[in-house]
Amino acid sequence: MEVASAAHERAEGDAPPMTDETDIGPVGAAHVPVLVGEVVEWLRPRPGARLVDATVGLGGHAASLLAAAPGALLLGLDRDPQALAIARARLAAETDRVHLRHAHFAELPALLAELRWDGADAVLLDLGVSSLQLDESGRGFSFRADAPLDMRMDPSAPGTAADLLNTWPEREIARILAQYGEERRHRAIARAIVRARPLRTTGELARIAERVCGRGRPGLHPATRTFQAVRIAVNDELGGLDRFLADGWKVLRPGGRVAILAYHSLEDRRVKEAFRRWAADCVCPLRTPRCTCGWSAKVRVLTPRPVRPTPEEIARNPRARSARLRVAERLGAPA
Ligand SMILES: C[S@@+](CC[C@H](N)C(=O)[O-])C[C@H]1O[C@@H](n2cnc3c(N)ncnc32)[C@H](O)[C@@H]1O
C-alpha cells in the first residue's frame, strides 16, 4: 500500500514528509518560486532553446528561465485559467517568445506537435497548488477562509470537492484521507463527513476535522491533511502525474532535461521510480533468465538524491520546506 511504502522511504531519509502546503497562511500571498536558482542551473536553458514550463502557475520559474536564455522560446501550460492570466501579464514583455496554453501537462506531446516543435530542451513540472489557488478565497482550497467546497484547479472540469464529499462511499473517503493525506483518523473523519451531509463549505469540513482530531500538533492545523487529500483526489493529481511519467522522456530532444519539483512523498516516489525505469537498460520482471524486453535506457538521472532547499530558503519561503527536485537528461547528443 502506498502509505506504507511512503513511510518506508522516509525512514531512508530521502523522501519528503507529507507537505503542509495548505497551511502556509499569509506567507503564500507573495508567490516565491521554489528552488528557482537550482531549477535554472539544472535545466541550463541555452540561447535559442525550446523550453516548457508545464505548470507555469504565476510565471515565476518561467520568467527566470527566459531571463537566463536570450532568444529561447517558452511554452507554458496550466490547468488553471486564472493562473495563466497572471502568467500572461507577468511575461508580457516576452510575448514574442512565449506561448501559453490552458492544458493538462499530460497533453504536452499534442501541444508540441501543434507548435511543430520536435521536442523540448528543458521541461519543468512544479507540482501541486499555487499560492494563488490557496489564497483566493472562493476557490475552496484553504481552510483559512470559509468558501464553497470547490478545490478544482480547472474550474471547467467536472466534480467539485462538495460532489466528492457528498456522494462518495464512506470507505472511499476514508481511503483517500489515508492514502493522500496520511491522516491517522481517516475512518473517524470519513464517518463524520457522511453523517454531516450535505457539506457545502470549507468551514464545515474544517470543523469536522477539528472536532475529530482535536487541536492537532503544533504548527499543523488539524484540517491540513484532510484538505490535502481531498484536493489531490478532486484534481486526480497522482493519476495526471502517472500519465506524464508513463513516457514523458519522449517530449525531450536528445540532451534535453526534465526537472520535477514534488511536495509530498506520493509524488516524489512516483518521479523517482519513473526516472529509474527510464534510465534502466532492461525492464524485464525480476528473475527473468534472459532479457526479452528490448528496452534500452532513455535518460540518465542527474540527481541520484533529490535536491532540497537550504534552511535559508525555507526561512524565506516556508512553502519550500517539503520540496524535492529531481532531474533527468535524455540520452543522445544535442542537435
Ligand atoms: C506550484 S504551482 C506552479 C508555480 C510556478 N512554478 C511559478 O513559479 O509561479 C503549480 C501550478 O501547476 C498547475 N497544475 C497542477 N497540475 C497540473 C497539470 N496536471 N497540468 C497543468 N497544470 C497543472 C496548478 O494549477 C498551479 O498553477
Side-chain angles (χ1 to χ4, degrees):
M1 170 157 165
E2 303 208 55
V3 172
S5 79
H8 170 69
E9 279 205 339
R10 278 205 301 291
E12 291 175 359
D14 70 346
M18 295 299 283
T19 181
D20 43 4
E21 63 185 3
T22 43
D23 197 23
I24 59 172
V27 178
H31 183 85
V32 187
V34 173
L35 284 169
V36 66
E38 290 82 349
V39 164
V40 172
E41 208 171 294
W42 281 103
L43 287 179
R44 33 152 227 196
R46 302 264 159 82
R50 290 178 172 181
L51 316 173
V52 175
D53 187 339
T55 51
V56 71
L58 312 183
H61 286 103
S64 297
L65 289 167
L66 285 165
L73 301 177
L74 181 129
L75 167 63
L77 323 177
D78 207 290
R79 290 171 93 174
D80 183 345
Q82 204 181 353
L84 270 183
I86 294 175
R88 184 163 287 115
R90 182 166 191 173
L91 305 174
E94 307 286 358
T95 64
D96 294 350
R97 308 205 270 150
V98 174
H99 304 269
L100 293 175
R101 297 281 186 276
H102 178 219
H104 190 292
F105 52 59
E107 299 165 49
L108 185 52
L111 295 164
L112 291 175
E114 204 180 280
L115 289 175
R116 297 186 197 286
W117 288 13
D118 59 355
D121 300 298
V123 175
L124 171 66
L125 272 70
D126 178 14
L127 301 170
V129 271
S130 69
S131 49
L132 168 82
Q133 290 159 336
L134 291 174
D135 295 341
E136 183 78 16
S137 56
R139 306 279 311 256
F141 285 98
S142 171
F143 43 77
R144 293 187 181 280
D146 202 16
L149 273 165
D150 190 323
M151 299 199 200
R152 288 170 300 170
M153 289 179 181
D154 178 355
S156 67
T160 63
D163 295 333
L164 184 158
L165 293 166
N166 290 323
T167 61
W168 280 24
E170 182 180 321
R171 65 169 189 290
E172 275 300 290
I173 295 175
R175 179 187 64 80
I176 61 159
L177 295 177
Q179 264 183 330
Y180 303 165
E182 290 189 342
E183 173 53 67
R184 223 168 31 83
R185 305 295 317 278
H186 55 276
R187 284 199 194 87
I189 296 176
R191 197 176 316 124
I193 286 170
V194 169
R195 281 204 189 126
R197 281 172 175 172
L199 265 71
R200 292 191 182 86
T201 67
T202 51
E204 288 167 0
L205 181 61
R207 282 192 291 279
I208 288 174
E210 280 165 25
R211 225 173 31 244
V212 174
C213 301
R215 300 174 73 193
R217 69 169 163 80
L220 192 73
H221 189 283
T224 300
R225 291 167 185 278
T226 295
F227 271 66
Q228 173 176 300
V230 175
R231 185 206 89 213
I232 290 174
V234 164
N235 294 290
D236 186 24
E237 291 178 36
L238 299 175
L241 179 59
D242 286 344
R243 271 160 49 217
F244 175 82
L245 293 175
D247 57 2
W249 56 271
K250 287 184 177 169
V251 301
L252 296 172
R253 286 168 149 179
R257 292 183 174 184
V258 57
I260 305 188
L261 263 169
Y263 295 87
H264 60 75
S265 49
L266 297 173
E267 288 170 346
D268 185 58
R269 185 168 69 87
R270 282 170 157 78
V271 176
K272 181 167 91 172
E273 286 176 0
F275 280 10
R276 193 180 282 160
R277 184 165 36 81
W278 296 357
D281 281 316
C282 164
V283 291
C284 287
L286 275 179
R287 285 194 275 280
T288 306
R290 201 166 46 84
C291 171
T292 53
C293 66
W295 179 264
S296 61
K298 312 299 180 200
V299 304
R300 75 190 167 104
V301 177
L302 303 180
T303 49
R305 299 185 76 73
V307 178
R308 302 166 70 159
T310 60
E312 292 73 36
E313 175 167 3
I314 295 170
R316 278 197 314 275
N317 180 15
R319 180 172 188 268
R321 73 189 136 202
S322 51
R324 300 294 183 275
L325 173 68
R326 295 183 188 267
V327 186
E329 179 181 274
R330 178 132 187 215
L331 295 177

